Amino acid sequence: MTTTTPLEPNPTPPNGEPEHNERHWKDFFGFSTDHKVIAIQYFVTSFVFYLIAGAMATSIRIELATPNPDFLGYENYNGVLTLHGTMMIFLWIVPAGAAFANYLIPLQIGAKDMAFPVLNGIAFWLVPPGGLLLLTSLLIDNPPVAGWTSYPPLSLISGQVGEMMWILSVLLLGTSSILGGINFVTTIFKMRIEEMSIYDMPLFCWAMLATSLLILVSTPVLAGALILLSFDLIAGTAFFNPTGGGDPIVYQHMFWFYSHPAVYIMILPVFGLISEVIPVHARKPIFGYKAIAYSSIAIAFLGNIVWAHHMFTSGTPGWLRVFFMAATMVIAVPTGIKVFSWVATMWGGKLRLNSAMLFAVGFVSMFLVGGLSGVMVASVPFDIHVHDTYFIVAHFHYVLFGGSVFGIYAGIYHWFPKMVGRMLNEFWGKVHFVLTFVGFNLAFFPMHILGLQGMPRRVVQYDPELTSLNQLCTVGSIILAISTVPFLINAVWAWFWGPEASANPWNALTLEWQTSSPPIIENFEEEPVLWSGPYDYGIDREPKDEQSVSELLAEVKAEL
Amino acid sequence: MQGSTVDTSQTAMAVSQHAEASGHGDHPDHRIFGVYVFLLAESMIFLGLFAAYLTFRAVADVWPPQGTPELELLLPTANTIILVSSSFVMNRGNQAIRQNDVAGMRKWFAITALMGAVFLLGQGYEYFTNEFSLTDNLFTSTFYVLTGFHGLHVTFGLGLIAVVLLRSLKSGRYTNESHFGPEAAELYWHFVDIVWIVLFTILYLF
């Protein structure tokens, strides 16, 4: 058999060591298409905005240490409050979720990069301009003061220039989020290595699939609302302005059609992170893989049909209230499934109580408190009582700080060795956890009581009888502010001088731990092999020596 | 000896085929899937705006608000027919490129662009001759914002067609194997078309 082949002999030997370039530090400061570089860019950017918005939170608490306006004053309070909320949501938690998604999805499914790397870079580079626009809006003469909800008619009559900057900024950040969502969905569906079925996928990818679907379905509606709002602001139409025949309630519906799902956009990625961290450090298979995976999808679906529970006091008719109350309470079921599964995973495991695990356990307990107060405010009569009080402030801080931020920290402690190639200091990690946990509960738990006693949210001046509880909150918030210091020092120090991390310091099974730390450009030397399920901890694959029945019985009897 | 030659050539074939199948880097092309996902997000903006319009309408006592002039129907109906049939014309263009007929694709795409431009001109004429303006009342505001937002999308679609036509001048840019550009432009055009049908129904007819 003679084959004459016109083809050149294979120029690159398929089994040879592929050459890869080193990352240069300058890559992190420019337009990059590498998902790992983009992820780090997201992390650092969102953390900087977190520190700024956190400083705003602390100044709000310092203002509220006394019942009278004496620190920020009437003029600045509303602007700072508006920016604190907007930045924490759109510039910290949402992009931090995108950061983890960018870093982990391609690695966990064995891909070299995202499906659309250039689009990915563009999505990131919409964030800094959006953030800077938002920050400058606070410095001009009339900053946005209508809160992060920007309800008309208030947003139409106060601080119009600032309001317009606020709208533009949110549109930019929303676009970034949508472009990211397109990338995540395509990558998860299309880029998995061949032997990985959708049920072999790590739970973080399931969570990001649900998150991305939510982003794609809900964010555009917010864009629609903001387009109409800007026509009201600039062109003098009256979509939401009752003096011109418009209907402000329509804005509320459109706003919450995004902003309620936004809660899940902020918490679902963290659910995913926790589902990764807990089994690794409990050394046990995850309890109920499919239940956790499907409950993410269920939450995404239900999250889209409950928005009007934010509007029980907006003249919503009774029959509609009942529907939204029932639908909201139903969400407690898939969420409860997750919480039970995490607890069952830890039950009887060999827990490694390191910083990552401590934050994960802290997440489960704090999120539980936020979830329980969530069921309380879902019920119409109770909600009418506490609507727009500090009870609501306490509730959503337990969800977004006790939930999302604790989970993000757990994720950072867990994946820092992978991302940077160096280990964080455990002692200072634990100090960070204790300070965060104590400060957080001190700052936000008393707010439940304040709310029940009738303290309205978004006020600079309050009843002097409530001073002592408010001061407790202020002390807590200062502890929280201090708690970031050990973390920052630890992270920066470890980044340059920390002990080097091995490829798999936690003995984890998902694919990102099968490559070096930090992973090489394009992630894997050769296509990774799926040699076990993502959470098969403590399962012995080698068949044990056969034990005779009598030996087995003897063993059981001995235990009795 | 012979065996190893066969091996090498087969591997080389496999490698070159693998490289051909890729859009960039070395994975298969997922861009059309991405376009579908993008259109899902796009349709939600329109859905939100339509829902707002329908709510305004449902809540109002009198609709359209008193003093709103009747809408002229003849021109928009003609416009609708032009836009809807342009979708079929464009589809002919994509059939042509699937048979590697670049000239045919160019012809049909150019006709589509012409029909789109006629639609936009008709819309502009309607704006110009309408007896109401943006800020008159809730109906006129929604009318202009909805049709205007759709018109922007038509304009963007025309831009996509223009890009495809320009790129097709380079021979070999689009073949029966590789024609993401024309396919994506066509999908987008169909989307804009469907949006118009809904918009026309709720704004003009119903």
Side-chain angles (χ1 to χ4, degrees), chain A residues 486-550:
Chain A
F487 170 73
L488 274 178
I489 295 175
N490 193 355
V492 172
W493 191 85
W495 199 304
F496 295 103
W497 303 288
E500 287 201 12
S502 64
N504 191 358
W506 311 125
N507 296 323
L509 287 173
T510 39
L511 289 182
E512 76 268 29
W513 304 102
Q514 280 191 31
T515 180
S516 56
S517 299
I520 54 168
I521 293 174
E522 304 215 315
N523 297 345
F524 300 97
E525 295 281 4
E526 53 200 38
E527 191 163 288
V529 179
L530 205 61
W531 55 274
S532 86
Y535 307 107
D536 292 351
Y537 300 105
I539 294 176
D540 212 341
R541 305 210 144 251
E542 297 295 313
K544 277 191 180 162
D545 294 336
E546 287 294 316
Q547 225 175 357
S548 73
V549 181
S550 54

Side-chain angles (χ1 to χ4, degrees), chain A residues 423-444:
Chain A
M423 304 296 286
L424 282 166
N425 181 294
E426 266 305 313
F427 173 75
W428 289 108
K430 281 172 185 156
V431 170
H432 174 215
F433 170 73
V434 171
L435 283 176
T436 312
F437 194 82
V438 171
F440 167 75
N441 280 295
L442 210 54
F444 295 109

Side-chain angles (χ1 to χ4, degrees), chain A residues 271-295:
Chain A
F271 285 170
L273 296 176
I274 294 300
S275 306
E276 301 295 320
V277 172
I278 287 181
V280 172
H281 296 294
R283 311 310 298 158
K284 264 185 69 191
I286 190 101
F287 183 91
Y289 173 92
K290 279 195 180 172
I292 295 183
Y294 289 150
S295 64

